Amino acid sequence: MYQQLYDWFRRAIAGGQLRPGQRVPSTRNLAAELKISRMPVMGAFEQLLAEGYLETFVGAGTCVARSIPDDTLSSPALKSRKGLQGRVEKRSPRRMSRRGAALAQTPTQTWLDNLGAFRVSLPALDHFPIRVWSKLVSRHSRKPPKGIMAYGDAMGYLPFREAIAEYLGAVRGVRCDSSQILVTTGSQQALQISAQVLLDPKDRLWMEEPGYPGARQAFMTVGAQLIPVRVDHDGMNVAEIIRRGRDARAVYVTPSHQYPMGMMMSAARRMLLLNWAVRSGAWIIEDDYDSEYRFASRPIASLQGLDTDGRVIYVGTFSKVMFPALRLGYMVVPNDLVRAFSAARDAADIFSSTLYQAVLTDFIREGHFARHIRRMRMLYMERRRALVNAIHIQTGDMLEIIGAEAGMHLVALLPPGTDDVAVCIKAAQKGVSAIPLSTCYLKRPTRGGVILGYGGANENQIHDGIVSLRSALESCSSR
Ligand SMILES: Cc1ncc(COP(=O)(O)O)c(C=O)c1O
C-alpha cells in the first residue's frame, strides 16, 4: 500500500496532474478517505518528502515541492512517458559515436535465441563433472579467506596464473611465465582489451575472411579499420598480407583451427606471418579458442611458441573446455606490454571472480581438468562422426562439409544461390540453432553455408536437428 501510494504521487507530480506548490491532503484525511490505516500514508509521504517531491510549511501543511520546475514537468519527454514506468516513445536517431552507430547496425541473430541442436560453442554440459565442481566450490566458499572476498589483482589470482602458464607450456607449446598471464572474462574480453591497448581509431587490422564475428565487434569498438584476407586450405593467405599490409598495426588469426572453416595454418605460413610481423612492427593476436579438441592427430603447438620477438598476443578460453557461463579466459602478454594490458583490465572491470579462479586452480591441479578434456575429446569425436553421417544420410549431396576433424563445430556449404540467413531463421523456428556462414564475412561471400556445433547435442538431437535443417533448407530452396 505504501509503495502504491508513493508511486501514485510520484507519477502524478512527474506527469503534471499535481502542480508545484499545490496542497496535498493531510495523512489523516487521506487515510480516512481511502479507508486504510495511517501508517502506509505516513510512510509514503516521508519518502516523498525525503526525495524532494513534497515539502511542508508550518501552518500550510504539505505541498508539492515548488523547486520542481514547471517546464520540466510539461516537457514533451515527460509527457510522452505514461508515468515513470511507461512505454518509451519512438525517437529519431540521436547522436552517438561513429563506433556506436556502426555497432547498432549489428543484425539481430535469432538463431542464437535457443540452445537447440547445433548451437555453436556449446559444450556437452550434461557430461560436465558437476559433483566434483560443486565440492570444490563449497570447499572454497565455506571458509572463504579475505583474499577470495576482497578486491584482487587485475592480472588475476596468482596460483591460477601459475597453473595456466604450466598448462600452456606443456600442452600448447606456449613460452611464458605466470607474470605474463592475464586472466580475463572469457576470450572476448581478451580481444577487446587487445584492441584497446594496441589500436587507435582508423588503424588497419587484418582479419581472416571468413572470420570470427565476435573479434570483428571487439575491434570495431575502438574504430579500427578491418581488412579481410581470404583463407584457403592452409589458413590465412599470408602472401596477400605481405603484398598489401605494409601499414597494418595488427592481424587477428585462429591458426590452430580456423574459425569458422576449420583448417590449420601451415608451418610455412606461420613462419611467413611471424617474419612479416617483425619486419613491419605489427602485432599478431592469436585466438586459440578450441585447440584442445583435435581428433585425428595431437594438438598443434601455438604460433606464440615460435615467436622470438614478442609479437604474439595469445588468447585462450575455458568456455569450451569447461562451460561458457564460467566467463574465464586468459591471455599471454609480451613482457613489455604487461603494464598496459593490466591497466586496461583494471579500467574495464578490475578483475575476475577470485572464487572461481581458485576453484578452477584446484580443478586443474587435482587432475579433473585433464580427465574431463580427455573424455570430451572422445565424445566430440563420436558426435562429429554422427553429424557427418546424419548429413550424408539425410541430405545426400545437398550439403558440402568443410573443416578438419577438430573442435566442436563444422561448416556445411549450402547449394549455390541459397540464402543462408533465411535457412537459419527458418531452422531457428524449428528449434535448431545454426549460424549463417555469411555473417562471418566482411565482404559478400560467394556461397552460403551453415556453422553447426555438435558439442552440446547427443546422437538423437543431431539426427532430429538435421531432419529439421533439411526441411528448413527445402522450404527456402522452393521459394
Ligand atoms: C573463435 C572464437 N573466439 C572467441 C570466442 C569467445 O569465447 P569466450 O568469450 O566465451 O571465451 C569464441 C566463442 O565462441 C570463438 O568461437
Short mmCIF file of all heavy atoms in Angstrom, two decimals, residues 109 112 118-121 207-215 231 235 252-264 287 289-290 320 408-411 434-437 439-441 450-453:
data_model
loop_
_atom_site.label_atom_id
_atom_site.label_comp_id
_atom_site.label_asym_id
_atom_site.label_seq_id
_atom_site.Cartn_x
_atom_site.Cartn_y
_atom_site.Cartn_z
N GLN A 109 20.39 -11.72 -34.19
CA GLN A 109 20.75 -13.10 -34.53
C GLN A 109 19.75 -14.05 -33.89
O GLN A 109 20.01 -14.63 -32.84
CB GLN A 109 22.16 -13.39 -34.02
CG GLN A 109 23.17 -12.38 -34.55
CD GLN A 109 24.58 -12.74 -34.15
OE1 GLN A 109 24.87 -13.81 -33.67
NE2 GLN A 109 25.49 -11.82 -34.37
N LEU A 112 20.52 -17.46 -32.41
CA LEU A 112 21.19 -17.67 -31.13
C LEU A 112 20.21 -17.67 -29.96
O LEU A 112 20.60 -17.79 -28.80
CB LEU A 112 22.25 -16.58 -30.90
CG LEU A 112 23.43 -16.56 -31.88
CD1 LEU A 112 24.44 -15.51 -31.48
CD2 LEU A 112 24.12 -17.92 -31.95
N PHE A 118 23.00 -27.95 -32.51
CA PHE A 118 23.97 -27.22 -33.34
C PHE A 118 24.35 -25.84 -32.83
O PHE A 118 24.96 -25.07 -33.54
CB PHE A 118 23.49 -27.14 -34.81
CG PHE A 118 23.05 -28.47 -35.34
CD1 PHE A 118 21.89 -28.59 -36.11
CD2 PHE A 118 23.76 -29.61 -35.04
CE1 PHE A 118 21.47 -29.83 -36.57
CE2 PHE A 118 23.36 -30.86 -35.50
CZ PHE A 118 22.20 -30.97 -36.27
N ARG A 119 23.95 -25.54 -31.58
CA ARG A 119 24.37 -24.26 -31.02
C ARG A 119 25.89 -24.25 -30.98
O ARG A 119 26.50 -25.09 -30.29
CB ARG A 119 23.77 -24.11 -29.61
CG ARG A 119 24.16 -22.83 -28.93
CD ARG A 119 23.43 -21.66 -29.59
NE ARG A 119 23.15 -20.59 -28.66
CZ ARG A 119 24.01 -19.62 -28.38
NH1 ARG A 119 25.17 -19.57 -28.97
NH2 ARG A 119 23.67 -18.69 -27.52
N VAL A 120 26.48 -23.31 -31.71
CA VAL A 120 27.94 -23.26 -31.80
C VAL A 120 28.52 -22.85 -30.45
O VAL A 120 27.93 -22.03 -29.73
CB VAL A 120 28.35 -22.27 -32.92
CG1 VAL A 120 29.86 -22.08 -32.97
CG2 VAL A 120 27.84 -22.77 -34.26
N SER A 121 29.65 -23.46 -30.10
CA SER A 121 30.38 -23.16 -28.85
C SER A 121 29.70 -23.69 -27.60
O SER A 121 30.09 -23.30 -26.49
CB SER A 121 30.59 -21.65 -28.64
OG SER A 121 31.24 -21.11 -29.73
N MET A 207 42.03 -9.29 -40.91
CA MET A 207 41.18 -10.36 -40.35
C MET A 207 40.99 -11.46 -41.36
O MET A 207 40.90 -11.19 -42.56
CB MET A 207 39.80 -9.81 -40.01
CG MET A 207 39.71 -9.26 -38.62
SD MET A 207 38.01 -9.29 -38.00
CE MET A 207 37.65 -11.01 -37.80
N GLU A 208 40.88 -12.70 -40.86
CA GLU A 208 40.58 -13.81 -41.76
C GLU A 208 39.19 -13.59 -42.38
O GLU A 208 38.27 -13.14 -41.70
CB GLU A 208 40.58 -15.12 -40.98
CG GLU A 208 41.94 -15.49 -40.41
CD GLU A 208 41.84 -16.49 -39.26
OE1 GLU A 208 40.89 -16.40 -38.47
OE2 GLU A 208 42.71 -17.34 -39.15
N GLU A 209 39.06 -13.97 -43.65
CA GLU A 209 37.77 -13.87 -44.35
C GLU A 209 37.43 -15.24 -44.93
O GLU A 209 38.14 -15.70 -45.84
CB GLU A 209 37.89 -12.83 -45.47
CG GLU A 209 36.70 -12.71 -46.37
CD GLU A 209 35.65 -11.71 -45.89
OE1 GLU A 209 35.52 -11.51 -44.67
OE2 GLU A 209 34.98 -11.14 -46.75
N PRO A 210 36.44 -15.98 -44.40
CA PRO A 210 35.57 -15.60 -43.28
C PRO A 210 36.32 -15.67 -41.95
O PRO A 210 37.32 -16.36 -41.84
CB PRO A 210 34.48 -16.67 -43.34
CG PRO A 210 35.14 -17.87 -43.94
CD PRO A 210 36.12 -17.33 -44.93
N GLY A 211 35.77 -14.94 -40.96
CA GLY A 211 36.43 -14.90 -39.66
C GLY A 211 35.42 -14.81 -38.53
O GLY A 211 34.21 -14.83 -38.76
N TYR A 212 35.94 -14.65 -37.33
CA TYR A 212 35.08 -14.70 -36.14
C TYR A 212 34.39 -13.35 -35.91
O TYR A 212 35.06 -12.34 -35.66
CB TYR A 212 35.94 -15.09 -34.93
CG TYR A 212 35.17 -15.11 -33.64
CD1 TYR A 212 33.99 -15.84 -33.53
CD2 TYR A 212 35.61 -14.40 -32.53
CE1 TYR A 212 33.27 -15.85 -32.35
CE2 TYR A 212 34.90 -14.41 -31.35
CZ TYR A 212 33.73 -15.14 -31.27
OH TYR A 212 33.01 -15.14 -30.11
N PRO A 213 33.05 -13.31 -35.97
CA PRO A 213 32.34 -12.03 -35.85
C PRO A 213 32.55 -11.36 -34.49
O PRO A 213 32.54 -10.13 -34.40
CB PRO A 213 30.86 -12.41 -36.02
CG PRO A 213 30.85 -13.74 -36.67
CD PRO A 213 32.12 -14.43 -36.26
N GLY A 214 32.77 -12.15 -33.43
CA GLY A 214 32.99 -11.55 -32.10
C GLY A 214 34.26 -10.71 -32.10
O GLY A 214 34.32 -9.65 -31.46
N ALA A 215 35.27 -11.16 -32.83
CA ALA A 215 36.52 -10.40 -32.91
C ALA A 215 36.26 -9.10 -33.69
O ALA A 215 36.73 -8.03 -33.31
CB ALA A 215 37.59 -11.23 -33.59
N VAL A 231 40.95 -16.94 -46.68
CA VAL A 231 41.59 -18.15 -46.17
C VAL A 231 41.43 -19.25 -47.23
O VAL A 231 40.47 -19.25 -47.99
CB VAL A 231 40.98 -18.64 -44.83
CG1 VAL A 231 41.15 -17.62 -43.73
CG2 VAL A 231 39.51 -19.01 -44.97
N GLY A 235 44.93 -22.04 -44.41
CA GLY A 235 44.63 -20.94 -43.47
C GLY A 235 44.73 -19.58 -44.14
O GLY A 235 44.59 -19.46 -45.37
N TYR A 252 44.56 -10.47 -36.80
CA TYR A 252 43.84 -11.39 -35.91
C TYR A 252 43.75 -12.73 -36.64
O TYR A 252 43.34 -12.78 -37.80
CB TYR A 252 42.44 -10.85 -35.62
CG TYR A 252 41.54 -11.91 -35.00
CD1 TYR A 252 41.59 -12.19 -33.64
CD2 TYR A 252 40.64 -12.63 -35.79
CE1 TYR A 252 40.78 -13.17 -33.07
CE2 TYR A 252 39.82 -13.61 -35.23
CZ TYR A 252 39.90 -13.87 -33.87
OH TYR A 252 39.11 -14.83 -33.32
N VAL A 253 44.14 -13.81 -35.94
CA VAL A 253 44.23 -15.08 -36.64
C VAL A 253 43.89 -16.25 -35.70
O VAL A 253 44.12 -16.17 -34.49
CB VAL A 253 45.66 -15.21 -37.26
CG1 VAL A 253 46.73 -15.30 -36.21
CG2 VAL A 253 45.77 -16.37 -38.22
N THR A 254 43.30 -17.30 -36.26
CA THR A 254 42.98 -18.53 -35.50
C THR A 254 43.74 -19.69 -36.13
O THR A 254 43.16 -20.51 -36.84
CB THR A 254 41.45 -18.79 -35.54
OG1 THR A 254 41.00 -18.73 -36.90
CG2 THR A 254 40.67 -17.79 -34.73
N PRO A 255 45.07 -19.76 -35.90
CA PRO A 255 45.91 -20.69 -36.68
C PRO A 255 45.68 -22.16 -36.39
O PRO A 255 45.83 -22.99 -37.28
CB PRO A 255 47.34 -20.28 -36.31
CG PRO A 255 47.24 -19.48 -35.08
CD PRO A 255 45.86 -18.94 -34.97
N SER A 256 45.31 -22.53 -35.16
CA SER A 256 45.19 -23.95 -34.83
C SER A 256 43.93 -24.57 -35.43
O SER A 256 43.92 -25.75 -35.77
CB SER A 256 45.14 -24.16 -33.32
OG SER A 256 46.28 -23.63 -32.74
N HIS A 257 42.88 -23.76 -35.53
CA HIS A 257 41.61 -24.27 -36.05
C HIS A 257 40.82 -23.06 -36.54
O HIS A 257 40.10 -22.42 -35.78
CB HIS A 257 40.86 -24.99 -34.90
CG HIS A 257 39.63 -25.71 -35.35
ND1 HIS A 257 38.46 -25.69 -34.61
CD2 HIS A 257 39.38 -26.44 -36.44
CE1 HIS A 257 37.55 -26.41 -35.24
NE2 HIS A 257 38.08 -26.87 -36.34
N GLN A 258 41.02 -22.75 -37.80
CA GLN A 258 40.47 -21.50 -38.34
C GLN A 258 38.97 -21.42 -38.06
O GLN A 258 38.22 -22.38 -38.32
CB GLN A 258 40.73 -21.43 -39.86
CG GLN A 258 40.72 -20.00 -40.41
CD GLN A 258 39.32 -19.48 -40.73
OE1 GLN A 258 38.43 -20.26 -41.03
NE2 GLN A 258 39.13 -18.17 -40.66
N TYR A 259 38.55 -20.25 -37.49
CA TYR A 259 37.12 -20.07 -37.27
C TYR A 259 36.55 -19.27 -38.42
O TYR A 259 37.02 -18.18 -38.70
CB TYR A 259 36.84 -19.32 -35.96
CG TYR A 259 35.34 -19.31 -35.68
CD1 TYR A 259 34.75 -20.30 -34.91
CD2 TYR A 259 34.51 -18.34 -36.25
CE1 TYR A 259 33.38 -20.33 -34.71
CE2 TYR A 259 33.14 -18.38 -36.06
CZ TYR A 259 32.59 -19.36 -35.29
OH TYR A 259 31.23 -19.41 -35.10
N PRO A 260 35.54 -19.76 -39.12
CA PRO A 260 34.77 -20.97 -38.85
C PRO A 260 35.17 -22.17 -39.70
O PRO A 260 34.67 -23.27 -39.48
CB PRO A 260 33.36 -20.52 -39.26
CG PRO A 260 33.59 -19.60 -40.42
CD PRO A 260 34.87 -18.89 -40.14
N MET A 261 36.09 -22.02 -40.68
CA MET A 261 36.23 -23.06 -41.71
C MET A 261 36.96 -24.31 -41.22
O MET A 261 36.85 -25.37 -41.82
CB MET A 261 36.92 -22.50 -42.96
CG MET A 261 36.19 -21.30 -43.57
SD MET A 261 34.47 -21.68 -43.97
CE MET A 261 34.60 -22.09 -45.69
N GLY A 262 37.75 -24.17 -40.17
CA GLY A 262 38.28 -25.37 -39.52
C GLY A 262 39.64 -25.85 -39.99
O GLY A 262 40.14 -26.86 -39.47
N MET A 263 40.29 -25.16 -40.95
CA MET A 263 41.61 -25.66 -41.36
C MET A 263 42.69 -25.19 -40.39
O MET A 263 42.47 -24.29 -39.59
CB MET A 263 41.95 -25.25 -42.80
CG MET A 263 42.16 -23.80 -43.02
SD MET A 263 40.64 -22.86 -42.98
CE MET A 263 39.96 -23.12 -44.59
N MET A 264 43.89 -25.79 -40.52
CA MET A 264 45.01 -25.42 -39.68
C MET A 264 45.99 -24.62 -40.52
O MET A 264 46.20 -24.95 -41.69
CB MET A 264 45.65 -26.71 -39.18
CG MET A 264 46.88 -26.48 -38.39
SD MET A 264 47.73 -27.99 -37.97
CE MET A 264 47.74 -28.96 -39.39
N ASP A 287 44.10 -16.29 -31.59
CA ASP A 287 42.94 -16.76 -30.83
C ASP A 287 42.93 -18.29 -30.90
O ASP A 287 42.63 -18.88 -31.93
CB ASP A 287 41.66 -16.15 -31.45
CG ASP A 287 40.41 -16.49 -30.64
OD1 ASP A 287 40.49 -17.30 -29.71
OD2 ASP A 287 39.34 -15.94 -30.97
N TYR A 289 41.04 -20.81 -29.52
CA TYR A 289 39.80 -20.95 -28.76
C TYR A 289 39.37 -22.39 -28.47
O TYR A 289 38.61 -22.62 -27.54
CB TYR A 289 38.66 -20.21 -29.49
CG TYR A 289 38.41 -20.78 -30.87
CD1 TYR A 289 37.32 -21.61 -31.09
CD2 TYR A 289 39.28 -20.53 -31.90
CE1 TYR A 289 37.10 -22.16 -32.34
CE2 TYR A 289 39.07 -21.09 -33.15
CZ TYR A 289 37.99 -21.90 -33.35
OH TYR A 289 37.80 -22.46 -34.58
N ASP A 290 39.80 -23.38 -29.30
CA ASP A 290 39.30 -24.75 -29.01
C ASP A 290 40.30 -25.83 -29.40
O ASP A 290 39.93 -26.96 -29.71
CB ASP A 290 37.96 -25.00 -29.72
CG ASP A 290 38.09 -25.19 -31.22
OD1 ASP A 290 39.21 -25.03 -31.73
OD2 ASP A 290 37.09 -25.52 -31.87
N LYS A 320 35.01 -23.44 -23.72
CA LYS A 320 34.73 -24.70 -24.44
C LYS A 320 35.13 -25.91 -23.61
O LYS A 320 34.47 -26.94 -23.67
CB LYS A 320 35.49 -24.76 -25.77
CG LYS A 320 35.69 -23.45 -26.46
CD LYS A 320 34.53 -23.05 -27.30
CE LYS A 320 34.57 -21.56 -27.53
NZ LYS A 320 34.15 -21.10 -28.79
N MET A 408 34.59 -28.20 -32.07
CA MET A 408 33.21 -28.51 -31.69
C MET A 408 32.21 -28.06 -32.75
O MET A 408 31.02 -27.99 -32.48
CB MET A 408 32.88 -27.81 -30.37
CG MET A 408 33.63 -28.37 -29.17
SD MET A 408 33.66 -27.23 -27.76
CE MET A 408 31.96 -26.89 -27.51
N HIS A 409 32.70 -27.72 -33.93
CA HIS A 409 31.76 -27.31 -34.98
C HIS A 409 32.31 -27.70 -36.35
O HIS A 409 33.51 -27.97 -36.49
CB HIS A 409 31.51 -25.80 -34.94
CG HIS A 409 32.69 -25.00 -35.43
ND1 HIS A 409 33.64 -24.49 -34.58
CD2 HIS A 409 33.08 -24.63 -36.67
CE1 HIS A 409 34.56 -23.85 -35.27
NE2 HIS A 409 34.26 -23.92 -36.55
N LEU A 410 31.44 -27.72 -37.34
CA LEU A 410 31.89 -27.84 -38.73
C LEU A 410 31.03 -26.92 -39.58
O LEU A 410 29.99 -26.42 -39.12
CB LEU A 410 31.84 -29.28 -39.22
CG LEU A 410 30.54 -30.08 -39.16
CD1 LEU A 410 29.55 -29.66 -40.22
CD2 LEU A 410 30.85 -31.56 -39.33
N VAL A 411 31.49 -26.70 -40.79
CA VAL A 411 30.74 -25.85 -41.72
C VAL A 411 30.16 -26.75 -42.80
O VAL A 411 30.85 -27.64 -43.30
CB VAL A 411 31.66 -24.78 -42.35
CG1 VAL A 411 30.99 -24.10 -43.54
CG2 VAL A 411 32.05 -23.74 -41.30
N ALA A 434 21.57 -22.87 -35.97
CA ALA A 434 22.73 -22.91 -36.87
C ALA A 434 23.09 -21.47 -37.22
O ALA A 434 22.21 -20.61 -37.33
CB ALA A 434 22.38 -23.67 -38.13
N ILE A 435 24.38 -21.19 -37.37
CA ILE A 435 24.81 -19.82 -37.68
C ILE A 435 25.07 -19.69 -39.18
O ILE A 435 25.74 -20.54 -39.78
CB ILE A 435 26.10 -19.46 -36.90
CG1 ILE A 435 25.80 -19.46 -35.40
CG2 ILE A 435 26.67 -18.13 -37.33
CD1 ILE A 435 26.99 -19.07 -34.53
N PRO A 436 24.52 -18.65 -39.83
CA PRO A 436 24.78 -18.47 -41.26
C PRO A 436 26.25 -18.13 -41.48
O PRO A 436 26.78 -17.21 -40.85
CB PRO A 436 23.89 -17.28 -41.66
CG PRO A 436 23.09 -16.92 -40.46
CD PRO A 436 23.68 -17.58 -39.27
N LEU A 437 26.87 -18.83 -42.40
CA LEU A 437 28.28 -18.60 -42.69
C LEU A 437 28.51 -17.16 -43.17
O LEU A 437 29.54 -16.55 -42.88
CB LEU A 437 28.74 -19.60 -43.77
CG LEU A 437 30.18 -19.51 -44.22
CD1 LEU A 437 31.14 -19.77 -43.05
CD2 LEU A 437 30.46 -20.51 -45.35
N THR A 439 27.51 -14.48 -42.12
CA THR A 439 27.71 -13.48 -41.06
C THR A 439 29.19 -13.40 -40.65
O THR A 439 29.57 -12.53 -39.89
CB THR A 439 26.86 -13.80 -39.80
OG1 THR A 439 27.21 -15.12 -39.35
CG2 THR A 439 25.38 -13.74 -40.09
N CYS A 440 29.99 -14.34 -41.14
CA CYS A 440 31.43 -14.31 -40.81
C CYS A 440 32.23 -13.56 -41.86
O CYS A 440 33.46 -13.50 -41.77
CB CYS A 440 31.96 -15.74 -40.69
SG CYS A 440 31.20 -16.67 -39.37
N TYR A 441 31.56 -13.03 -42.87
CA TYR A 441 32.27 -12.34 -43.96
C TYR A 441 32.17 -10.82 -43.81
O TYR A 441 31.12 -10.30 -43.42
CB TYR A 441 31.67 -12.73 -45.30
CG TYR A 441 32.14 -14.07 -45.83
CD1 TYR A 441 31.58 -15.24 -45.36
CD2 TYR A 441 33.15 -14.14 -46.79
CE1 TYR A 441 32.00 -16.48 -45.84
CE2 TYR A 441 33.58 -15.37 -47.28
CZ TYR A 441 33.00 -16.54 -46.80
OH TYR A 441 33.42 -17.74 -47.28
N VAL A 450 26.18 -23.12 -43.40
CA VAL A 450 25.74 -23.07 -42.00
C VAL A 450 26.86 -23.61 -41.11
O VAL A 450 27.57 -24.54 -41.50
CB VAL A 450 24.45 -23.91 -41.78
CG1 VAL A 450 23.25 -23.21 -42.36
CG2 VAL A 450 24.58 -25.32 -42.33
N ILE A 451 27.02 -22.96 -39.97
CA ILE A 451 28.01 -23.44 -39.00
C ILE A 451 27.23 -24.27 -37.98
O ILE A 451 26.26 -23.78 -37.39
CB ILE A 451 28.75 -22.28 -38.31
CG1 ILE A 451 29.25 -21.28 -39.35
CG2 ILE A 451 29.90 -22.79 -37.46
CD1 ILE A 451 29.84 -20.02 -38.76
N LEU A 452 27.64 -25.51 -37.83
CA LEU A 452 26.90 -26.43 -36.97
C LEU A 452 27.78 -26.87 -35.80
O LEU A 452 28.83 -27.49 -36.02
CB LEU A 452 26.44 -27.67 -37.75
CG LEU A 452 25.60 -27.40 -39.01
CD1 LEU A 452 25.31 -28.71 -39.75
CD2 LEU A 452 24.30 -26.69 -38.66
N GLY A 453 27.36 -26.55 -34.58
CA GLY A 453 28.09 -27.01 -33.39
C GLY A 453 27.56 -28.39 -33.02
O GLY A 453 26.35 -28.62 -33.07
#
